[in-house]
Amino acid sequence: MIRVLEKNIADKIAAGEVVERPISIVKELVENALDAGATSIICEIKNGGKTYIRITDNGCGIPEDEVETAFLRHATSKISTASDLEAIGTLGFRGEALASVAAVTRTEIVTKTAEAKTGRRLVIHGGEVIENASTGCPDGTTIVVRDLFYNTPARLKFMKTDAAESGLIIDFISQIALAYKDVRFRLINNGNVLFATSGDGDRLNTIMRVYKDVDSKNMVSLRHSSNGISIEGYISSPAVSRTTRGGQIFFVNGRVINSKVIEKGVTLGYKERLFEGRYPITYLFLQVDPKDLDVNIHPNKKEIRFDKEAMVIDSVASAITEALATEDAVVDAGNIFKDGEKALTGHMVYERLFEGMGHEYAPLQREAKDKSNPFKISDRAFEKGKDSIEENINIKELLSTISNEPNLEDAPLTDAPKEPAGKSHMENLDKKSGFVPITLQEPGFKPFDFSDLKILGILFDTYIMATADEKFYLIDQHAAHERIFYEKLVGEYSSGHKEKQYIMVPIMISLPYALSEDREGWLNALEEMGFTIEDFGESTYRIPEIPMFMELGEAEDFVKGFIENIGNSTDFSNTTVINKLIMMSCKAAIKAKDILKDEEVTALISDLAKCRNPFSCPHGRPTFIKLSRYEIEKMFKRV
């Protein structure tokens, strides 16, 4: 028999889709407060929000004759027609939140509009109205939610511990406070104020108030506009990274979201700037035309779908690349060397300098250390290191690819790129959509200016010393030359023509019929890399030529592995090529302890200035680090 469910049963079922746990309630109520134009929001919870949640705001309030209506299912003030769904500009819009919350809790609301003389107090238990009366109260809305799932006890067993539930709420309030820097947030947990933001519009100040473990000196500001997308925020310099993506927080049109698309853009932007397995800290705020978004693919609106994913990835990557090409992104030695609040020690300096000499010296670190004199590096250690390098390359031959410049003291370095980053502005989008892009100031970013560097000499025959604008720089000659060679090799590889080598005995491969039928999916990719592939019977192919940069065994293993991995999302071919080019550039580059002449140093710095990414070697190590004059004077107790 088919029957229509009673209202209280239907409401409980609907509530299960919206209210999963306390964080679901907090999120819905805080987003409603923001949609109401609140400039001050207080969130108080007890027992992880299971027994008590209070959200107080100074927003527009609800007219007294509409308070009870607001708790009906599908009642909303944010959309009225189907066309409104195509350009949603509010955080909430479905009209299910209040009804769902009230269905499984004891809910009380006190609200007042600015025009009303008195407010309205409404009490609902399990979806049933208990009280609806006038009351005195300030403008705005306060909602108190008690005893979550008191009438559906089976749901309680799915709750986490109080601490775990509190953690989810704290994370959300922390994140939403960043998105709305002009709104004052206060978070109270079991009677203790965890944090309060000032609402002064200073994004970095808000970050520092909420995330006290973030060092502002290692955060780089970011502003960018392209592809109809505005992006602003803060990202960590390559000196700071984490083992997980937990420090990556994304916002789109004011909504905190999870996004694999934006993650791809971040990964691309930090490419070659961090070691594998390390992730930056990012606070990115995107403004996208609502018509290019679908925010209704997840009940809690934590995920969205971009209509133009490739453009989003490109915009995010470009924004990060521009920000990491500025002075602020140069690795700050003063911050690297810090050990809590302890002073910089000679031993720590030695450790950091020696780390930058290249991975071929890593096994010698323990042997080379001299604890009685941390700046002493034994000659035997270096000689042993040099003997371990496969190829002893003539320095002058290497430097023949670098144009000679006049003497260091005679001329400044003037070959650095001069064009400032991020000149484009937001396109004039359809005003009817309600989309208001971030107002970007005139771009204040400019690439690091190598022409300002004054070369002082070379430390340990490895680190080029330079100064500019009250800062001291150490430039790793090996890492710098490795970067130059790497970009040269990548440029040659990407130019179109691939150098090949003929092999005496062709590689033979036999494929399943399915792959043979879909040969375009793999054959073109292998030929683009430098393989020559010819038909040799049914589902069989012969390879008479392989890329110049591969050995025979490597080429055979690569082809087999590539075909086995067809269908995976990983760009297997690109990864292999890049790894080979990195290895080649490392072998070809100047090594630590190679003695350079003045003109060779000038040429090296000049070519580094022309690189797309002059700040790190292909492995992710910094090419140079800086110390400000203030930090140096602080070490000597002058300040």
Side-chain angles (χ1 to χ4, degrees), residues 145 156 159 208 214 226 233 263 284 307 324 488 614 639:
V145 177
L156 289 173
M159 295 296 96
M208 295 302 104
V214 175
S226 65
E263 284 181 3
L284 298 181
D307 288 346
L324 293 181
K488 178 176 180 289
V639 293

Side-chain angles (χ1 to χ4, degrees), residues 62-77 95-96 98-99 109 120 122 124 129 132:
I62 304 174
E64 60 179 351
D65 59 340
E66 297 180 4
V67 176
E68 196 167 326
T69 304
F71 283 85
L72 298 178
R73 287 187 63 195
H74 308 304
T76 179
S77 63
E96 296 176 292
L98 292 181
I109 180 173
R120 176 64 55 170
L122 181 69
I124 302 179
V129 176
N132 185 348

Side-chain angles (χ1 to χ4, degrees), residues 389-400:
I389 299 174
E390 295 180 4
E391 299 179 18
N392 182 16
I393 300 177
N394 184 284
I395 298 303
K396 290 186 177 180
E397 182 179 342
L398 285 177
L399 290 172
S400 64

Side-chain angles (χ1 to χ4, degrees), residues 575-595:
T575 300
T576 301
V577 171
I578 294 301
N579 288 341
K580 290 292 295 182
L581 295 180
I582 288 174
M583 185 180 299
M584 292 172 65
S585 64
C586 186
K587 288 182 178 180
I590 296 168
K591 301 300 184 292
K593 296 293 284 184
D594 286 339
I595 299 175

Side-chain angles (χ1 to χ4, degrees), residues 483-492 610-613:
R483 161 56 57 182
I484 294 167
F485 263 103
Y486 172 69
E487 294 201 7
K488 178 176 180 289
L489 290 170
V490 169
E492 291 175 353
K610 300 172 187 175
C611 287
R612 174 183 56 82
N613 169 24

Side-chain angles (χ1 to χ4, degrees), residues 32 35-36 60-63 66 69-70 72 74-81 84 90 92-96 98:
N32 279 348
D35 285 340
C60 64
I62 304 174
E66 297 180 4
T69 304
L72 298 178
H74 308 304
T76 179
S77 63
K78 300 167 185 177
I79 60 173
S80 57
T81 66
D84 292 338
T90 54
F93 56 89
R94 290 197 301 261
E96 296 176 292
L98 292 181

Side-chain angles (χ1 to χ4, degrees), residues 63 110 130 148 161 183 193 204 250 252 296 305-306 308 348 452 509-510 525 546 598 629 636:
V110 176
I130 304 300
L148 175 60
T161 64
V183 178
V193 178
L204 185 59
F250 310 132
V252 175
N296 200 22
R305 180 180 293 117
F306 295 99
K308 303 171 183 177
M348 293 165 67
D452 291 338
I509 55 173
S510 297
I546 63 176
D598 286 355
R629 179 171 181 170
F636 286 98

